[in-house]
Amino acid sequence: MTHLLHRHCHAELPTVSSGDGVYLFDTEGKKYLDGCGGAAVSNLGHSHATVKKTIIEQVEAIPFAHTGFFTNQPSEDLATLLTDLAPDNLDHVYFVSGGSEAVESALKMARQYFVEIGKPNKTQFIARRQSYHGNTLGALAVGGNEWRKENFRPLLAEVEHVSPCYAYRDQRENETELAYSHRVADELESKILTMGAENVMAFVAEPVVGVTAGALPATTGYFKRIREICDKYDVLLILDEVMCGIGRTGNFYAFEQDEIVPDLVTIAKGLGAGYQPIGAVVVSNEIYDAMANDSV
């Protein structure tokens, strides 16, 4: 009998006892190849000697200090590293405990930004169908995974959704890749105009959609057109890189492949590699300055 509430109440799961590199071992001595890195988390492998040593050293020094009253050098160093790896305009980092919380924080920052600059009527989000942004209520609302949302729909904020960039399914015969990219991106402009640009806060998207669409990158030119539309209508661009960021596409940030810069980007999973519950929102100077200049 277990007192632990597992993801599936009727599952009988093997008990992991140890790990080494890409392998896990259970209490019965069975060896598993952790081919997906534990839901795209364990990108440094299990039981990495240097990581374990560093964790022990930090715990021996100080495991926790309230961030409302203190800073600490490891956090400062990590924020510097993440901003050094980002384009110049993304120069501030807010740390949280995981991916869903990072998305929630980004949504709240979008709202706070427009309140601070005197545009409180901007309250609406637009996202994409067949997307996933987390299981907390705000993240679930912007997500486009319908079966996950169904039971909780009465609790969720109303969010409008547009088509995913899914050329395999939706590109028309004799339509060029760029023409398809612009056509599907222009759905965002149409949706903004329908809702009223004065009401729309942000567009939320994954540069590479995870398991909800099957490791799906955007086609050439799609995100450049999305960036143009967001700029035109004063809509923030939030890119969710919880699954696809931290070097998984060949660049540290996945959006680098699309040659754009978002206003906020969320990261987690590979950031802590399973050794530490951690996520982050990397924030533009414009958003940070609006919050920092708050007179309250």
Side-chain angles (χ1 to χ4, degrees), residues 162-284:
V162 294
S163 296
C165 186
Y166 200 169
Y168 178 77
R169 295 286 185 187
D170 299 329
Q171 187 174 349
R172 296 168 182 167
E173 188 175 354
N174 299 323
E175 186 177 36
T176 66
E177 180 177 334
L178 186 60
Y180 167 73
S181 296
H182 286 183
R183 175 170 63 83
V184 71
D186 284 346
E187 284 191 28
L188 174 61
E189 183 171 35
S190 296
K191 183 67 72 173
I192 290 170
L193 292 174
T194 298
M195 297 169 66
E198 70 279 6
N199 300 314
V200 180
M201 275 191 291
F203 177 62
V204 187
E206 301 153 280
V208 181
V209 186
V211 294
T212 305
L216 179 66
T219 50
T220 301
Y222 171 80
F223 273 112
K224 282 189 174 181
R225 178 65 181 137
I226 290 292
R227 179 73 270 184
E228 291 172 358
I229 293 168
C230 288
D231 290 341
K232 181 177 180 180
Y233 295 103
D234 195 18
V235 171
L236 298 178
L237 177 57
I238 301 173
L239 293 184
D240 179 359
E241 298 200 3
V242 167
M243 180 166 279
C244 64
I246 319 296
R248 285 202 167 92
T249 62
N251 296 85
F252 189 82
Y253 293 100
F255 65 75
E256 296 176 70
Q257 300 274 349
D258 296 291
E259 300 179 339
I260 59 158
V261 181
D263 300 292
L264 303 109
V265 57
T266 62
I267 52 178
K269 290 187 182 288
L271 182 62
Y275 292 90
Q276 166 71 37
I278 188 171
V281 187
V282 188
V283 184
S284 71

Side-chain angles (χ1 to χ4, degrees), residues 129-152:
R129 295 189 292 275
Q130 208 60 25
S131 62
Y132 179 72
H133 297 291
N135 264 336
T136 49
L137 292 179
L140 195 62
V142 295
N145 190 316
E146 292 302 318
W147 72 266
R148 290 180 185 271
K149 296 167 66 169
E150 188 58 37
N151 289 338
F152 306 100

Side-chain angles (χ1 to χ4, degrees), residues 106-154:
L107 301 179
K108 292 172 73 176
M109 286 181 186
R111 170 60 180 165
Q112 185 173 351
Y113 168 73
F114 282 114
V115 170
E116 301 292 0
I117 66 170
K119 297 183 178 181
N121 289 337
K122 280 183 169 280
T123 60
Q124 301 298 310
F125 293 104
I126 303 173
R128 300 190 296 184
R129 295 189 292 275
Q130 208 60 25
S131 62
Y132 179 72
H133 297 291
N135 264 336
T136 49
L137 292 179
L140 195 62
V142 295
N145 190 316
E146 292 302 318
W147 72 266
R148 290 180 185 271
K149 296 167 66 169
E150 188 58 37
N151 289 338
F152 306 100
R153 202 172 297 279

